[in-house]
PDB file of all heavy atoms in Angstrom:
ATOM      1  N   TYR A  11       2.719   6.970  -5.059  1.00  0.00           N
ATOM      2  CA  TYR A  11       1.362   6.494  -5.117  1.00  0.00           C
ATOM      3  C   TYR A  11       1.161   5.181  -4.355  1.00  0.00           C
ATOM      4  O   TYR A  11       0.059   4.617  -4.341  1.00  0.00           O
ATOM      5  CB  TYR A  11       0.872   6.393  -6.547  1.00  0.00           C
ATOM      6  CG  TYR A  11       1.070   7.648  -7.325  1.00  0.00           C
ATOM      7  CD1 TYR A  11       2.074   7.752  -8.272  1.00  0.00           C
ATOM      8  CD2 TYR A  11       0.325   8.755  -7.039  1.00  0.00           C
ATOM      9  CE1 TYR A  11       2.276   8.946  -8.972  1.00  0.00           C
ATOM     10  CE2 TYR A  11       0.484   9.942  -7.722  1.00  0.00           C
ATOM     11  CZ  TYR A  11       1.475  10.029  -8.679  1.00  0.00           C
ATOM     12  OH  TYR A  11       1.674  11.229  -9.351  1.00  0.00           O
ATOM     13  N   GLY A  12       2.197   4.630  -3.750  1.00  0.00           N
ATOM     14  CA  GLY A  12       2.077   3.424  -2.991  1.00  0.00           C
ATOM     15  C   GLY A  12       2.088   2.174  -3.863  1.00  0.00           C
ATOM     16  O   GLY A  12       2.724   2.150  -4.926  1.00  0.00           O
ATOM     17  N   GLY A  13       1.408   1.101  -3.401  1.00  0.00           N
ATOM     18  CA  GLY A  13       1.459  -0.159  -4.130  1.00  0.00           C
ATOM     19  C   GLY A  13       0.151  -0.500  -4.792  1.00  0.00           C
ATOM     20  O   GLY A  13      -0.808   0.265  -4.833  1.00  0.00           O
ATOM     21  N   ALA A  14       0.154  -1.715  -5.405  1.00  0.00           N
ATOM     22  CA  ALA A  14      -1.046  -2.202  -6.058  1.00  0.00           C
ATOM     23  C   ALA A  14      -1.874  -2.968  -5.042  1.00  0.00           C
ATOM     24  O   ALA A  14      -1.371  -3.762  -4.248  1.00  0.00           O
ATOM     25  CB  ALA A  14      -0.652  -3.146  -7.213  1.00  0.00           C
ATOM     26  N   VAL A  15      -3.163  -2.693  -5.026  1.00  0.00           N
ATOM     27  CA  VAL A  15      -4.085  -3.265  -3.998  1.00  0.00           C
ATOM     28  C   VAL A  15      -4.919  -4.361  -4.620  1.00  0.00           C
ATOM     29  O   VAL A  15      -5.466  -4.203  -5.698  1.00  0.00           O
ATOM     30  CB  VAL A  15      -5.033  -2.166  -3.454  1.00  0.00           C
ATOM     31  CG1 VAL A  15      -5.928  -2.760  -2.372  1.00  0.00           C
ATOM     32  CG2 VAL A  15      -4.242  -1.002  -2.920  1.00  0.00           C
ATOM     33  N   LEU A  16      -4.990  -5.495  -3.923  1.00  0.00           N
ATOM     34  CA  LEU A  16      -5.863  -6.585  -4.358  1.00  0.00           C
ATOM     35  C   LEU A  16      -7.281  -6.283  -3.828  1.00  0.00           C
ATOM     36  O   LEU A  16      -7.575  -6.456  -2.644  1.00  0.00           O
ATOM     37  CB  LEU A  16      -5.379  -7.949  -3.817  1.00  0.00           C
ATOM     38  CG  LEU A  16      -6.180  -9.145  -4.259  1.00  0.00           C
ATOM     39  CD1 LEU A  16      -6.172  -9.297  -5.791  1.00  0.00           C
ATOM     40  CD2 LEU A  16      -5.684 -10.440  -3.642  1.00  0.00           C
ATOM     41  N   MET A  17      -8.117  -5.762  -4.704  1.00  0.00           N
ATOM     42  CA  MET A  17      -9.489  -5.376  -4.305  1.00  0.00           C
ATOM     43  C   MET A  17     -10.419  -6.582  -4.459  1.00  0.00           C
ATOM     44  O   MET A  17     -10.306  -7.327  -5.422  1.00  0.00           O
ATOM     45  CB  MET A  17      -9.979  -4.237  -5.197  1.00  0.00           C
ATOM     46  CG  MET A  17      -9.176  -2.970  -5.126  1.00  0.00           C
ATOM     47  SD  MET A  17      -9.223  -2.189  -3.520  1.00  0.00           S
ATOM     48  CE  MET A  17     -10.961  -1.686  -3.443  1.00  0.00           C
ATOM     49  N   GLY A  18     -11.309  -6.755  -3.444  1.00  0.00           N
ATOM     50  CA  GLY A  18     -12.242  -7.856  -3.478  1.00  0.00           C
ATOM     51  C   GLY A  18     -11.953  -8.878  -2.403  1.00  0.00           C
ATOM     52  O   GLY A  18     -12.656  -9.896  -2.309  1.00  0.00           O
ATOM     53  N   VAL A  19     -10.904  -8.660  -1.563  1.00  0.00           N
ATOM     54  CA  VAL A  19     -10.664  -9.564  -0.454  1.00  0.00           C
ATOM     55  C   VAL A  19     -11.023  -8.826   0.832  1.00  0.00           C
ATOM     56  O   VAL A  19     -11.271  -7.616   0.870  1.00  0.00           O
ATOM     57  CB  VAL A  19      -9.180 -10.028  -0.386  1.00  0.00           C
ATOM     58  CG1 VAL A  19      -8.882 -10.954  -1.553  1.00  0.00           C
ATOM     59  CG2 VAL A  19      -8.228  -8.833  -0.423  1.00  0.00           C
ATOM     60  N   LYS A  20     -11.075  -9.605   1.968  1.00  0.00           N
ATOM     61  CA  LYS A  20     -11.693  -9.124   3.188  1.00  0.00           C
ATOM     62  C   LYS A  20     -10.878  -8.063   3.977  1.00  0.00           C
ATOM     63  O   LYS A  20     -11.386  -7.591   4.997  1.00  0.00           O
ATOM     64  CB  LYS A  20     -11.987 -10.340   4.109  1.00  0.00           C
ATOM     65  CG  LYS A  20     -13.009 -11.292   3.516  1.00  0.00           C
ATOM     66  CD  LYS A  20     -13.194 -12.496   4.432  1.00  0.00           C
ATOM     67  CE  LYS A  20     -14.203 -13.486   3.865  1.00  0.00           C
ATOM     68  NZ  LYS A  20     -14.331 -14.694   4.712  1.00  0.00           N
ATOM     69  N   ALA A  21      -9.673  -7.778   3.546  1.00  0.00           N
ATOM     70  CA  ALA A  21      -8.849  -6.764   4.216  1.00  0.00           C
ATOM     71  C   ALA A  21      -7.849  -6.288   3.174  1.00  0.00           C
ATOM     72  O   ALA A  21      -7.613  -6.930   2.166  1.00  0.00           O
ATOM     73  CB  ALA A  21      -8.138  -7.368   5.423  1.00  0.00           C
ATOM     74  N   PRO A  22      -7.262  -5.096   3.391  1.00  0.00           N
ATOM     75  CA  PRO A  22      -6.274  -4.553   2.459  1.00  0.00           C
ATOM     76  C   PRO A  22      -5.096  -5.491   2.278  1.00  0.00           C
ATOM     77  O   PRO A  22      -4.404  -5.875   3.259  1.00  0.00           O
ATOM     78  CB  PRO A  22      -5.856  -3.235   3.062  1.00  0.00           C
ATOM     79  CG  PRO A  22      -7.019  -2.831   3.899  1.00  0.00           C
ATOM     80  CD  PRO A  22      -7.561  -4.107   4.446  1.00  0.00           C
ATOM     81  N   VAL A  23      -4.864  -5.920   1.048  1.00  0.00           N
ATOM     82  CA  VAL A  23      -3.675  -6.754   0.653  1.00  0.00           C
ATOM     83  C   VAL A  23      -2.967  -5.910  -0.380  1.00  0.00           C
ATOM     84  O   VAL A  23      -3.518  -5.671  -1.479  1.00  0.00           O
ATOM     85  CB  VAL A  23      -4.072  -8.095   0.117  1.00  0.00           C
ATOM     86  CG1 VAL A  23      -2.858  -8.837  -0.459  1.00  0.00           C
ATOM     87  CG2 VAL A  23      -4.749  -8.960   1.214  1.00  0.00           C
ATOM     88  N   VAL A  24      -1.732  -5.462  -0.096  1.00  0.00           N
ATOM     89  CA  VAL A  24      -1.071  -4.519  -0.928  1.00  0.00           C
ATOM     90  C   VAL A  24       0.280  -5.056  -1.391  1.00  0.00           C
ATOM     91  O   VAL A  24       1.104  -5.493  -0.575  1.00  0.00           O
ATOM     92  CB  VAL A  24      -0.879  -3.163  -0.237  1.00  0.00           C
ATOM     93  CG1 VAL A  24      -0.224  -2.154  -1.176  1.00  0.00           C
ATOM     94  CG2 VAL A  24      -2.248  -2.636   0.234  1.00  0.00           C
ATOM     95  N   LYS A  25       0.504  -5.006  -2.708  1.00  0.00           N
ATOM     96  CA  LYS A  25       1.774  -5.408  -3.299  1.00  0.00           C
ATOM     97  C   LYS A  25       2.530  -4.195  -3.758  1.00  0.00           C
ATOM     98  O   LYS A  25       2.095  -3.497  -4.686  1.00  0.00           O
ATOM     99  CB  LYS A  25       1.511  -6.346  -4.476  1.00  0.00           C
ATOM    100  CG  LYS A  25       2.710  -6.542  -5.478  1.00  0.00           C
ATOM    101  CD  LYS A  25       3.860  -7.315  -4.867  1.00  0.00           C
ATOM    102  CE  LYS A  25       4.874  -7.653  -5.965  1.00  0.00           C
ATOM    103  NZ  LYS A  25       5.763  -6.509  -6.299  1.00  0.00           N
ATOM    104  N   THR A  26       3.623  -3.864  -3.101  1.00  0.00           N
ATOM    105  CA  THR A  26       4.410  -2.740  -3.546  1.00  0.00           C
ATOM    106  C   THR A  26       5.480  -3.248  -4.497  1.00  0.00           C
ATOM    107  O   THR A  26       5.785  -4.444  -4.554  1.00  0.00           O
ATOM    108  CB  THR A  26       5.022  -1.976  -2.343  1.00  0.00           C
ATOM    109  OG1 THR A  26       5.551  -0.726  -2.817  1.00  0.00           O
ATOM    110  CG2 THR A  26       6.138  -2.764  -1.642  1.00  0.00           C
ATOM    111  N   HIS A  27       6.092  -2.332  -5.247  1.00  0.00           N
ATOM    112  CA  HIS A  27       7.046  -2.711  -6.320  1.00  0.00           C
ATOM    113  C   HIS A  27       8.223  -3.524  -5.778  1.00  0.00           C
ATOM    114  O   HIS A  27       8.731  -3.244  -4.681  1.00  0.00           O
ATOM    115  CB  HIS A  27       7.538  -1.447  -7.014  1.00  0.00           C
ATOM    116  CG  HIS A  27       7.988  -1.679  -8.402  1.00  0.00           C
ATOM    117  ND1 HIS A  27       9.202  -2.277  -8.716  1.00  0.00           N
ATOM    118  CD2 HIS A  27       7.411  -1.401  -9.624  1.00  0.00           C
ATOM    119  CE1 HIS A  27       9.343  -2.340 -10.027  1.00  0.00           C
ATOM    120  NE2 HIS A  27       8.257  -1.824 -10.593  1.00  0.00           N
ATOM    121  N   GLY A  28       8.637  -4.510  -6.544  1.00  0.00           N
ATOM    122  CA  GLY A  28       9.773  -5.336  -6.146  1.00  0.00           C
ATOM    123  C   GLY A  28      11.069  -4.602  -5.874  1.00  0.00           C
ATOM    124  O   GLY A  28      11.908  -4.996  -5.091  1.00  0.00           O
ATOM    125  N   SER A  29      11.217  -3.451  -6.579  1.00  0.00           N
ATOM    126  CA  SER A  29      12.445  -2.647  -6.419  1.00  0.00           C
ATOM    127  C   SER A  29      12.252  -1.524  -5.404  1.00  0.00           C
ATOM    128  O   SER A  29      13.039  -0.607  -5.341  1.00  0.00           O
ATOM    129  CB  SER A  29      12.845  -2.061  -7.758  1.00  0.00           C
ATOM    130  OG  SER A  29      11.823  -1.217  -8.267  1.00  0.00           O
ATOM    131  N   SER A  30      11.187  -1.642  -4.574  1.00  0.00           N
ATOM    132  CA  SER A  30      10.893  -0.591  -3.633  1.00  0.00           C
ATOM    133  C   SER A  30      12.013  -0.413  -2.594  1.00  0.00           C
ATOM    134  O   SER A  30      12.555  -1.384  -2.048  1.00  0.00           O
ATOM    135  CB  SER A  30       9.593  -0.903  -2.886  1.00  0.00           C
ATOM    136  OG  SER A  30       8.492  -0.848  -3.742  1.00  0.00           O
ATOM    137  N   LYS A  31      12.270   0.867  -2.304  1.00  0.00           N
ATOM    138  CA  LYS A  31      13.203   1.210  -1.225  1.00  0.00           C
ATOM    139  C   LYS A  31      12.389   1.857  -0.118  1.00  0.00           C
ATOM    140  O   LYS A  31      11.182   1.918  -0.127  1.00  0.00           O
ATOM    141  CB  LYS A  31      14.319   2.092  -1.726  1.00  0.00           C
ATOM    142  CG  LYS A  31      15.245   1.361  -2.694  1.00  0.00           C
ATOM    143  CD  LYS A  31      16.563   2.127  -2.956  1.00  0.00           C
ATOM    144  CE  LYS A  31      17.511   1.279  -3.780  1.00  0.00           C
ATOM    145  NZ  LYS A  31      18.795   1.974  -4.022  1.00  0.00           N
ATOM    146  N   ALA A  32      13.095   2.338   0.915  1.00  0.00           N
ATOM    147  CA  ALA A  32      12.441   2.792   2.155  1.00  0.00           C
ATOM    148  C   ALA A  32      11.329   3.785   1.919  1.00  0.00           C
ATOM    149  O   ALA A  32      10.248   3.675   2.518  1.00  0.00           O
ATOM    150  CB  ALA A  32      13.496   3.338   3.077  1.00  0.00           C
ATOM    151  N   THR A  33      11.535   4.796   1.069  1.00  0.00           N
ATOM    152  CA  THR A  33      10.569   5.820   0.873  1.00  0.00           C
ATOM    153  C   THR A  33       9.252   5.263   0.280  1.00  0.00           C
ATOM    154  O   THR A  33       8.165   5.634   0.697  1.00  0.00           O
ATOM    155  CB  THR A  33      11.104   6.922  -0.082  1.00  0.00           C
ATOM    156  OG1 THR A  33      12.272   7.508   0.518  1.00  0.00           O
ATOM    157  CG2 THR A  33      10.087   8.008  -0.273  1.00  0.00           C
ATOM    158  N   THR A  34       9.411   4.344  -0.678  1.00  0.00           N
ATOM    159  CA  THR A  34       8.247   3.735  -1.276  1.00  0.00           C
ATOM    160  C   THR A  34       7.475   2.909  -0.248  1.00  0.00           C
ATOM    161  O   THR A  34       6.236   2.896  -0.219  1.00  0.00           O
ATOM    162  CB  THR A  34       8.640   2.849  -2.454  1.00  0.00           C
ATOM    163  OG1 THR A  34       9.396   3.626  -3.391  1.00  0.00           O
ATOM    164  CG2 THR A  34       7.419   2.296  -3.163  1.00  0.00           C
ATOM    165  N   VAL A  35       8.200   2.159   0.591  1.00  0.00           N
ATOM    166  CA  VAL A  35       7.553   1.360   1.629  1.00  0.00           C
ATOM    167  C   VAL A  35       6.775   2.279   2.585  1.00  0.00           C
ATOM    168  O   VAL A  35       5.626   2.023   2.924  1.00  0.00           O
ATOM    169  CB  VAL A  35       8.639   0.541   2.429  1.00  0.00           C
ATOM    170  CG1 VAL A  35       7.992  -0.155   3.617  1.00  0.00           C
ATOM    171  CG2 VAL A  35       9.266  -0.466   1.503  1.00  0.00           C
ATOM    172  N   ARG A  36       7.394   3.396   2.976  1.00  0.00           N
ATOM    173  CA  ARG A  36       6.678   4.350   3.853  1.00  0.00           C
ATOM    174  C   ARG A  36       5.420   4.868   3.192  1.00  0.00           C
ATOM    175  O   ARG A  36       4.383   4.961   3.824  1.00  0.00           O
ATOM    176  CB  ARG A  36       7.621   5.513   4.205  1.00  0.00           C
ATOM    177  CG  ARG A  36       6.976   6.548   5.101  1.00  0.00           C
ATOM    178  CD  ARG A  36       7.772   7.854   5.056  1.00  0.00           C
ATOM    179  NE  ARG A  36       7.730   8.443   3.703  1.00  0.00           N
ATOM    180  CZ  ARG A  36       8.536   9.433   3.336  1.00  0.00           C
ATOM    181  NH1 ARG A  36       9.408   9.959   4.172  1.00  0.00           N
ATOM    182  NH2 ARG A  36       8.457   9.891   2.104  1.00  0.00           N
ATOM    183  N   ASN A  37       5.544   5.249   1.926  1.00  0.00           N
ATOM    184  CA  ASN A  37       4.373   5.801   1.201  1.00  0.00           C
ATOM    185  C   ASN A  37       3.269   4.759   1.071  1.00  0.00           C
ATOM    186  O   ASN A  37       2.069   5.114   1.126  1.00  0.00           O
ATOM    187  CB  ASN A  37       4.776   6.331  -0.159  1.00  0.00           C
ATOM    188  CG  ASN A  37       5.692   7.550  -0.069  1.00  0.00           C
ATOM    189  OD1 ASN A  37       5.756   8.189   0.969  1.00  0.00           O
ATOM    190  ND2 ASN A  37       6.371   7.846  -1.150  1.00  0.00           N
ATOM    191  N   THR A  38       3.632   3.511   0.870  1.00  0.00           N
ATOM    192  CA  THR A  38       2.653   2.463   0.706  1.00  0.00           C
ATOM    193  C   THR A  38       1.925   2.208   2.038  1.00  0.00           C
ATOM    194  O   THR A  38       0.706   1.969   2.076  1.00  0.00           O
ATOM    195  CB  THR A  38       3.314   1.144   0.241  1.00  0.00           C
ATOM    196  OG1 THR A  38       4.031   1.403  -0.973  1.00  0.00           O
ATOM    197  CG2 THR A  38       2.276   0.061  -0.015  1.00  0.00           C
ATOM    198  N   ILE A  39       2.651   2.347   3.142  1.00  0.00           N
ATOM    199  CA  ILE A  39       2.027   2.214   4.468  1.00  0.00           C
ATOM    200  C   ILE A  39       1.020   3.350   4.663  1.00  0.00           C
ATOM    201  O   ILE A  39      -0.059   3.144   5.232  1.00  0.00           O
ATOM    202  CB  ILE A  39       3.095   2.185   5.558  1.00  0.00           C
ATOM    203  CG1 ILE A  39       3.850   0.843   5.467  1.00  0.00           C
ATOM    204  CG2 ILE A  39       2.451   2.375   6.964  1.00  0.00           C
ATOM    205  CD1 ILE A  39       5.083   0.792   6.342  1.00  0.00           C
ATOM    206  N   GLY A  40       1.360   4.535   4.167  1.00  0.00           N
ATOM    207  CA  GLY A  40       0.408   5.674   4.231  1.00  0.00           C
ATOM    208  C   GLY A  40      -0.855   5.378   3.436  1.00  0.00           C
ATOM    209  O   GLY A  40      -1.979   5.727   3.836  1.00  0.00           O
ATOM    210  N   GLN A  41      -0.683   4.745   2.295  1.00  0.00           N
ATOM    211  CA  GLN A  41      -1.806   4.344   1.471  1.00  0.00           C
ATOM    212  C   GLN A  41      -2.704   3.330   2.208  1.00  0.00           C
ATOM    213  O   GLN A  41      -3.934   3.472   2.200  1.00  0.00           O
ATOM    214  CB  GLN A  41      -1.293   3.685   0.166  1.00  0.00           C
ATOM    215  CG  GLN A  41      -2.322   3.078  -0.724  1.00  0.00           C
ATOM    216  CD  GLN A  41      -1.680   2.208  -1.829  1.00  0.00           C
ATOM    217  OE1 GLN A  41      -0.524   1.785  -1.707  1.00  0.00           O
ATOM    218  NE2 GLN A  41      -2.415   1.931  -2.872  1.00  0.00           N
ATOM    219  N   ILE A  42      -2.082   2.347   2.856  1.00  0.00           N
ATOM    220  CA  ILE A  42      -2.807   1.363   3.648  1.00  0.00           C
ATOM    221  C   ILE A  42      -3.584   2.053   4.793  1.00  0.00           C
ATOM    222  O   ILE A  42      -4.733   1.723   5.064  1.00  0.00           O
ATOM    223  CB  ILE A  42      -1.865   0.309   4.191  1.00  0.00           C
ATOM    224  CG1 ILE A  42      -1.317  -0.553   3.055  1.00  0.00           C
ATOM    225  CG2 ILE A  42      -2.592  -0.602   5.205  1.00  0.00           C
ATOM    226  CD1 ILE A  42      -0.222  -1.489   3.461  1.00  0.00           C
ATOM    227  N   LYS A  43      -2.942   2.997   5.468  1.00  0.00           N
ATOM    228  CA  LYS A  43      -3.572   3.709   6.545  1.00  0.00           C
ATOM    229  C   LYS A  43      -4.855   4.406   6.078  1.00  0.00           C
ATOM    230  O   LYS A  43      -5.898   4.337   6.724  1.00  0.00           O
ATOM    231  CB  LYS A  43      -2.625   4.773   7.132  1.00  0.00           C
ATOM    232  CG  LYS A  43      -3.222   5.568   8.267  1.00  0.00           C
ATOM    233  CD  LYS A  43      -2.232   6.639   8.756  1.00  0.00           C
ATOM    234  CE  LYS A  43      -2.841   7.403   9.919  1.00  0.00           C
ATOM    235  NZ  LYS A  43      -4.075   8.157   9.576  1.00  0.00           N
ATOM    236  N   THR A  44      -4.767   5.032   4.904  1.00  0.00           N
ATOM    237  CA  THR A  44      -5.994   5.687   4.349  1.00  0.00           C
ATOM    238  C   THR A  44      -7.076   4.677   4.068  1.00  0.00           C
ATOM    239  O   THR A  44      -8.268   4.940   4.346  1.00  0.00           O
ATOM    240  CB  THR A  44      -5.607   6.427   3.047  1.00  0.00           C
ATOM    241  OG1 THR A  44      -4.582   7.352   3.311  1.00  0.00           O
ATOM    242  CG2 THR A  44      -6.825   7.153   2.471  1.00  0.00           C
ATOM    243  N   MET A  45      -6.710   3.507   3.540  1.00  0.00           N
ATOM    244  CA  MET A  45      -7.718   2.480   3.278  1.00  0.00           C
ATOM    245  C   MET A  45      -8.410   1.990   4.540  1.00  0.00           C
ATOM    246  O   MET A  45      -9.617   1.846   4.590  1.00  0.00           O
ATOM    247  CB  MET A  45      -7.073   1.263   2.581  1.00  0.00           C
ATOM    248  CG  MET A  45      -6.732   1.488   1.111  1.00  0.00           C
ATOM    249  SD  MET A  45      -6.275  -0.082   0.316  1.00  0.00           S
ATOM    250  CE  MET A  45      -7.853  -0.907   0.292  1.00  0.00           C
ATOM    251  N   VAL A  46      -7.591   1.766   5.570  1.00  0.00           N
ATOM    252  CA  VAL A  46      -8.163   1.264   6.836  1.00  0.00           C
ATOM    253  C   VAL A  46      -8.995   2.353   7.506  1.00  0.00           C
ATOM    254  O   VAL A  46     -10.135   2.097   7.988  1.00  0.00           O
ATOM    255  CB  VAL A  46      -7.031   0.768   7.783  1.00  0.00           C
ATOM    256  CG1 VAL A  46      -7.620   0.357   9.143  1.00  0.00           C
ATOM    257  CG2 VAL A  46      -6.293  -0.381   7.143  1.00  0.00           C
ATOM    258  N   ASP A  47      -8.485   3.552   7.552  1.00  0.00           N
ATOM    259  CA  ASP A  47      -9.206   4.669   8.190  1.00  0.00           C
ATOM    260  C   ASP A  47     -10.559   4.952   7.533  1.00  0.00           C
ATOM    261  O   ASP A  47     -11.557   5.224   8.184  1.00  0.00           O
ATOM    262  CB  ASP A  47      -8.358   5.963   8.170  1.00  0.00           C
ATOM    263  CG  ASP A  47      -7.257   5.970   9.209  1.00  0.00           C
ATOM    264  OD1 ASP A  47      -7.329   5.165  10.125  1.00  0.00           O
ATOM    265  OD2 ASP A  47      -6.321   6.804   9.053  1.00  0.00           O
ATOM    266  N   SER A  48     -10.561   4.872   6.196  1.00  0.00           N
ATOM    267  CA  SER A  48     -11.798   5.209   5.429  1.00  0.00           C
ATOM    268  C   SER A  48     -12.739   4.022   5.310  1.00  0.00           C
ATOM    269  O   SER A  48     -13.818   4.169   4.737  1.00  0.00           O
ATOM    270  CB  SER A  48     -11.407   5.733   4.042  1.00  0.00           C
ATOM    271  OG  SER A  48     -10.748   4.718   3.312  1.00  0.00           O
TER     272      SER A  48
END
């Protein structure tokens, strides 16, 4: 499901889990892409 998003700021700011490994980082980037695209 990606990371936690700080809503209410002027651009997507996303905090992914501190123990994130490569797959989680990739998924979080997908989440950011959806936010920017939409």
Side-chain angles (χ1 to χ4, degrees):
Y11 306 108
V15 182
L16 183 61
M17 299 295 292
V19 291
K20 295 177 180 177
V23 172
V24 182
K25 162 69 171 78
T26 193
H27 205 284
S29 60
S30 293
K31 292 194 174 182
T33 300
T34 306
V35 174
R36 180 197 63 193
N37 293 343
T38 305
I39 289 169
Q41 173 192 19
I42 292 172
K43 179 183 182 299
T44 302
M45 285 191 70
V46 176
D47 283 343
S48 63

